[in-house]
Amino acid sequence: MRVCSWFKLSVSALALLFLIGCSASPEEFIRSFAPVKEFLKEHPGASVQASLWDEQALKEKAGFVDELCSRSLPFKEYWFVHVAEGSAKVVMLIDKASEEVVCLRIESSQQPVVELPVLPPSVEKPVVVNDTPVKENITQPEPVPTLPESPKLFFRLDKVMKQKIVGSDDSLFRFCFNTSINAEDKSFNVYVDNNFAKPAGNPLGMKDVYCPQYDASVYCNNACPLKGYDGRWHIWLELSEDKRIDDGLLVDFGKIEEITEIAPVSLSITALKKNEATGKYYVCLSADPAKAGRDLFNVYANGTFIERVWGLKREACEDISLELDCKDCELSKLHGNEKISVGLAVAPNIKSEKEIDFSSINGKGTKLNLALEGVKGFFEGGPAGFRGYLVCFDTNNDVPVGDVQLELFIDGVKKSHTGTGIGSMFNACANENFGIVCAEDCDLSGEHNVELSGSWDGKTERRSGTFDFGQKRKNVFYDGFDTLDGWSIQGPDGQSYRLPALDNGVISGIGKGYSPELEPWATVFKKVEINSTERLVIETSVVSASDWPNAVSILLYAGNKAHYEFRLYGESSNYNIDWYVYDDEGKDVRQYRYHVGSGVLENWHTYGLARYGDGSYKLFIDSAEVAEFLPPSEKTYTQFDSVGVVVARQGSKLDYLRIRGN
């Protein structure tokens, strides 16, 4: 419950006495003060604003309070009252607890400033006896303290605008104002009601291309903070150096004008420097017009976002510098020629890029020399059972590639991968370089951005490029035998065979041993489109038991003729892996055999046969190359339109089949 109090002030030589009603609302409470009442009589359209300052606010405003009151005030709660119309205003502080006006300033557009600090106790009048004045001890009034005469100063906030910051939910706020002073490089504070909102990074006044009809502007991002406000609020600007506050502007945050057109700006990175004492990096920047360099920028290294930072004039650079507070950021891990780029935070297309030799900044180190060679196509398996797009890359020969931590990104999305090795295994990457396979969610088409990141010995390098995925997924056949849909027992030569057994995604032959009832062997056929002028890869996972006559065969047809057969012959008198080449009549048979021995074919393994562009062959068992398998180079047949699968008996089983051409 508010306690009613008398207020005693002196204007010139007059004492103002007034009583405040106990039931008054806050607005009535402020309007009930005589100075406010008198001012509103002359200025009925004046704005009346009041904010409650706590101890912290009073400390932050100590300089302003000292000047307004000509003395320091005890740290407690006060009402700050600001009533203004044009250049005429009343500013006063009211003790919240006692409801006494502790200091007052009245500025009139026609009259000089009237200073009204609180006076000491009034002078006692002399006592008159028998018409003769008798002088008593009279307390003389102390001289009335006055505020020091201030230079003429005028600044008024007239407009607030905002711009979207690219890659962020934040906005950049621009405050346009008129002023009677040169605001260039003067520091300003921003207030929303009584909440102090210091602009982030660049609180300096300047002539802004976005406020051409105004004398100056300041700007800041959401760190002001201005984010989260809704509805109508008062915003004030304050000149930091002498705590002068403007008249304020009532702003509807839901209707702040958004800047969509970007003023033309030319940017150029001139250098990158490092402060060895602090570990901070500085990007030196020139801009045309020069003032445009005092804006908010996004900084990237090799396309990776590093930091969002303000451009300011600093000793580190001749023009504008961007101070990067990233002692342990990615920049510290770079040692080669790397690309640094800078773009306006509100307009990424306005940017500059420069290649920097980081060996002169961070030292040479042992460079990874990561190189991204490209995408070699959609890859169905290989001996290790990989599936996805093969991405080829190279590194420094002195770096053990197995120790390099790799990350793969497609269109900025991180993808899982199989690691190194698959590229050299199939000669798919140039010069026996390494490759990784994007093995997750990689059914892509058209052009996509690929980025490969390699980290080794505390250093990270990134390389990126745009590659066409749409032309890579051809000449691929795969079946995991969940069903036998699409398979036929009638071969391209017109002969009919029998269906294999199907159990949980695995096909197998019928019966055991030899019997006329078990002939012909279980064999199925399916249409394919394989062009293998540059490469042919057959991969399958099989078991071929040792009892007679178990065997698994893969046959490739062109028309009604089988030209190649890949046979895994597990019967105990064989234990062989065979590759057959048949001529157009099926008579000229060339057989190339590798004796694998017992204990292999009768267990599950993955087998791969690869023929390369020069006609050379390689055989793999569970990704390991079989060096002894050396058939002569040939690529007599390259176009195939059917595939046949043979599983001789129930001990012959096949889990999946992949065939890949170019």
Side-chain angles (χ1 to χ4, degrees), residues 85-281:
E85 183 178 54
S87 59
K89 66 177 69 176
V90 172
V91 182
M92 61 185 183
L93 285 175
I94 303 171
D95 187 316
K96 181 187 176 185
S98 67
E99 296 184 349
E100 293 183 358
V101 176
V102 294
C103 40
L104 173 69
R105 182 185 180 104
I106 300 176
E107 294 183 12
S108 171
S109 56
Q110 290 84 24
Q111 299 175 354
V113 174
V114 180
E115 310 294 348
L116 296 170
V118 176
L119 296 176
S122 302
V123 177
E124 296 293 334
K125 294 182 179 180
V127 178
V128 179
V129 180
N130 297 326
D131 296 327
T132 302
V134 179
K135 291 185 179 181
E136 297 182 354
N137 291 331
I138 300 175
T139 303
Q140 296 293 334
E142 296 180 8
V144 177
T146 59
L147 291 172
E149 186 173 346
S150 301
K152 291 185 180 298
L153 173 69
F154 165 71
F155 64 97
R156 182 178 66 243
L157 176 62
D158 281 340
K159 191 172 186 178
V160 178
M161 299 183 292
K162 67 180 180 180
Q163 289 173 290
K164 286 292 186 183
I165 295 177
V166 177
S168 169
D169 293 333
D170 291 348
S171 294
L172 184 68
F173 290 87
R174 300 184 185 271
F175 305 91
C176 307
F177 62 96
N178 288 314
T179 180
S180 60
I181 64 171
N182 179 10
E184 187 76 14
D185 290 339
K186 290 190 180 297
S187 178
F188 287 83
N189 298 324
V190 179
Y191 291 83
V192 181
D193 276 12
N194 67 328
N195 292 322
F196 177 52
K198 185 177 180 180
N202 188 1
L204 304 179
M206 60 179 285
K207 184 66 175 177
D208 195 326
V209 293
Y210 295 100
C211 302
Q213 68 271 39
Y214 297 95
D215 295 327
S217 69
V218 294
Y219 51 91
C220 59
N221 63 7
N222 287 78
C224 281
L226 296 176
K227 191 174 183 179
Y229 280 93
D230 191 18
R232 295 159 62 89
W233 296 81
H234 278 93
I235 296 179
W236 287 280
L237 283 181
E238 180 187 66
L239 189 61
S240 300
E241 63 186 30
D242 63 4
K243 303 299 181 184
R244 301 291 184 87
I245 196 165
D246 81 331
D247 293 333
L249 180 67
L250 184 61
V251 175
D252 188 336
F253 275 79
K255 297 180 180 179
I256 293 180
E257 177 184 343
E258 186 163 334
I259 302 172
T260 55
E261 294 187 5
I262 305 301
V265 176
S266 175
L267 301 176
S268 178
I269 298 174
T270 57
L272 186 137
K273 300 179 180 181
K274 182 180 180 181
N275 186 321
E276 294 297 337
T278 64
K280 291 183 177 181
Y281 293 84

Side-chain angles (χ1 to χ4, degrees), residues 73 101 103 112 157 241 281 395 439 544 552 572 640:
L73 296 180
V101 176
C103 40
L157 176 62
E241 63 186 30
Y281 293 84
T395 61
S544 180
V552 176
S572 59
F640 309 103

Side-chain angles (χ1 to χ4, degrees), residues 285-546:
L285 188 70
S286 65
D288 184 21
K291 296 288 192 300
R294 294 182 177 181
D295 215 309
L296 191 62
F297 293 90
N298 293 330
V299 182
Y300 302 85
N302 295 321
T304 299
F305 176 77
I306 298 295
E307 194 171 340
R308 184 171 294 118
V309 62
W310 292 95
L312 289 174
K313 179 69 176 177
R314 298 183 179 91
E315 292 183 0
C317 301
E318 183 176 346
D319 295 321
I320 297 298
S321 70
L322 309 180
E323 183 181 75
L324 306 178
D325 190 14
C326 59
K327 184 176 181 180
D328 297 319
C329 73
E330 294 300 319
L331 294 184
S332 64
K333 302 174 184 178
L334 302 178
H335 299 271
N337 291 329
E338 314 292 346
K339 288 184 179 179
I340 299 296
S341 60
V342 168
L344 275 176
V346 295
N349 57 314
I350 299 179
K351 62 183 178 180
S352 176
E353 187 173 84
K354 185 179 180 66
E355 189 169 273
I356 302 292
D357 181 7
F358 275 83
S359 65
S360 62
I361 300 172
N362 295 334
K364 292 185 177 181
T366 303
K367 292 184 284 188
L368 180 60
N369 290 342
L370 183 66
L372 179 61
E373 296 185 336
V375 177
K376 297 300 181 181
F378 191 82
F379 192 78
E380 281 283 3
F386 300 145
R387 178 182 184 274
Y389 290 91
L390 183 62
V391 180
C392 295
F393 68 97
D394 195 12
T395 61
N396 188 334
N397 290 335
D398 295 331
V399 174
V401 71
D403 295 338
V404 178
Q405 295 180 347
L406 296 167
E407 289 185 325
L408 177 65
F409 300 85
I410 298 181
D411 294 333
V413 179
K414 187 175 181 180
K415 300 289 185 179
S416 63
H417 61 81
T418 59
T420 61
I422 191 70
S424 59
M425 182 182 299
F426 284 95
N427 288 344
C429 299
N431 303 319
E432 294 292 326
N433 292 340
F434 295 91
I436 65 177
V437 174
C438 174
E440 172 193 307
D441 189 24
C442 283
D443 291 333
L444 303 172
S445 62
E447 290 190 342
H448 296 271
N449 177 264
V450 176
E451 179 182 306
L452 187 63
S453 169
S455 299
W456 179 75
D457 193 26
K459 298 176 285 292
T460 299
E461 295 182 19
R462 292 181 174 86
R463 297 293 180 267
S464 62
T466 300
F467 303 97
D468 187 354
F469 286 73
Q471 299 179 2
K472 307 300 182 181
R473 290 199 63 190
K474 296 181 180 179
N475 307 312
V476 175
F477 170 81
Y478 171 80
D479 202 309
F481 292 99
D482 293 325
T483 71
L484 288 172
D485 292 348
W487 291 92
S488 171
I489 61 172
Q490 185 172 359
D493 58 1
Q495 295 187 42
S496 294
Y497 298 83
R498 68 174 63 213
L499 278 173
L502 176 62
D503 181 21
N504 197 27
V506 174
I507 61 171
S508 61
I510 306 298
K512 292 175 123 182
Y514 175 76
S515 169
E517 289 78 16
L518 299 178
E519 300 298 328
W521 292 351
T523 307
V524 287
F525 305 88
K526 201 169 193 177
K527 292 290 185 182
V528 296
E529 292 183 20
I530 300 294
N531 174 7
S532 63
T533 55
E534 297 299 325
R535 175 175 52 189
L536 174 65
V537 178
I538 301 173
E539 180 196 348
T540 187
S541 178
V542 305
V543 166
S544 180
S546 59

